Amino acid sequence: MHDIKTPATPGSPGSGLNRRTFIAASSALAATIALGGFPGTARAEAITLPALPYPDNALAPVISAKTIGFHYGKHHQGYVSNLNKLLTGSEFAGKSLEAIIKATAGKAAHSGIFNNAAQIWNHTFYWNSMRQRGGGEPPAELKKKMEDAFGDVAACIKELNTAATSQFGSGWAWLVLTGDNKLAVTKTGNAETPLSTNAKPLVTIDVWEHAYYLDYQNMRADYVKAVLDKLINWEFALENMGK
Ligand code: MN3
């Protein structure tokens, strides 16, 4: 999913980009090893845990390094480990994550594979839906789309906030681009994802308790507001709009 390029001078002083790339490459290596292989000898068919797009403390204090440690290191990794076990000997082994999700969505006989595959995809999308010093004014092209669909940016954010806070139990809130090229807000339960529908996901917020409980306990609304105000990655949304 991500191209990992090891820089010629990893971690060279004064180069934030090199440092980030090096951390990403190191995380990818750790994930490969955690899955039981080494670069070059890893099982070619295995689904791997994509590297975080930033260090684990990049989103603090809104989302702590401790939360990221459990959420990415245990939950996200756990879905990867479970899926690889479930795929062994199945008709879906060797297929891409997206293909597995689309082939198993809505099929009760394959719910275990779907749930783990969709959770892997949703979490990778979620990490990218946030950034250090996010929030604020969306890029002009996205802002125009928000105004067309919701009236203004604040109304779009309010819809996202309502979807995230009103999702009963575990799930996700999404900003999507519908089949008729309009922005819309949706929410999904458990592992469900708009990826298997006609709508194109732009950004998401994880509202499973494990996403916020260590930092906010039961105060989901505080977590959602902080993510929308300070972390949401509108540039990522714009990038996805163009795909
Ligand atoms: Mn989660």
Side-chain angles (χ1 to χ4, degrees):
M1 196 158 197
H2 294 267
D3 285 326
I4 303 299
K5 294 189 184 79
T6 306
T9 53
S12 61
S15 170
L17 181 63
N18 275 355
R19 185 168 168 274
R20 278 197 300 278
T21 311
F22 181 60
I23 288 166
S26 304
S27 303
L29 178 63
T32 304
I33 292 168
L35 285 166
F38 293 93
T41 62
R43 291 164 298 169
E45 78 279 10
I47 299 290
T48 55
L49 178 68
L52 271 182
Y54 33 68
D56 65 2
N57 62 358
L59 307 182
V62 177
I63 296 177
S64 66
K66 189 177 179 186
T67 288
I68 299 274
F70 279 98
H71 198 178
Y72 173 74
K74 303 291 183 190
H75 291 276
H76 199 175
Q77 173 65 68
Y79 298 125
V80 172
S81 303
N82 287 340
L83 181 62
N84 281 312
K85 278 184 215 148
L86 291 168
L87 286 178
T88 306
S90 94
E91 65 195 279
F92 306 106
K95 294 195 188 306
S96 73
L97 194 59
E98 287 82 354
I100 293 168
I101 292 166
K102 285 173 183 169
T104 56
K107 295 188 177 144
H110 300 303
S111 62
I113 288 180
F114 171 81
N115 285 335
N116 284 283
Q119 283 294 81
I120 296 167
W121 193 92
N122 289 350
H123 279 88
T124 302
F125 199 79
Y126 168 64
W127 302 128
N128 284 286
S129 294
M130 299 181 290
R131 66 176 178 88
Q132 205 169 29
R133 291 182 289 278
E137 179 94 349
E141 200 185 325
L142 178 61
K143 189 178 170 197
K144 173 78 171 53
K145 283 283 207 194
M146 288 178 174
E147 288 165 353
D148 290 348
F150 302 97
D152 58 25
V153 173
C156 174
I157 290 172
K158 188 161 178 259
E159 284 265 336
L160 261 173
N161 188 314
T162 301
T165 52
S166 67
Q167 166 59 31
F168 184 77
S170 297
W172 303 84
W174 305 84
L175 181 66
V176 300
L177 193 64
T178 63
D180 55 0
N181 205 30
K182 277 191 73 178
L183 292 190
V185 167
T186 61
K187 55 186 177 177
T188 59
N190 298 318
E192 294 295 329
T193 174
L195 188 65
S196 56
T197 70
N198 283 336
K200 196 186 279 186
L202 302 182
V203 282
T204 192
I205 303 174
D206 187 346
V207 296
W208 285 56
E209 279 190 347
H210 66 221
Y212 58 87
Y213 212 86
L214 291 176
D215 297 324
Y216 298 86
Q217 290 74 53
N218 60 322
M219 308 299 280
R220 185 195 288 187
D222 292 352
Y223 153 75
V224 169
K225 184 179 189 312
V227 167
L228 285 168
D229 285 351
K230 295 172 180 160
L231 298 181
I232 200 81
N233 188 347
W234 296 134
E235 287 72 20
F236 180 63
L238 180 64
E239 207 180 291
N240 290 320
M241 230 165 69
K243 279 180 190 164

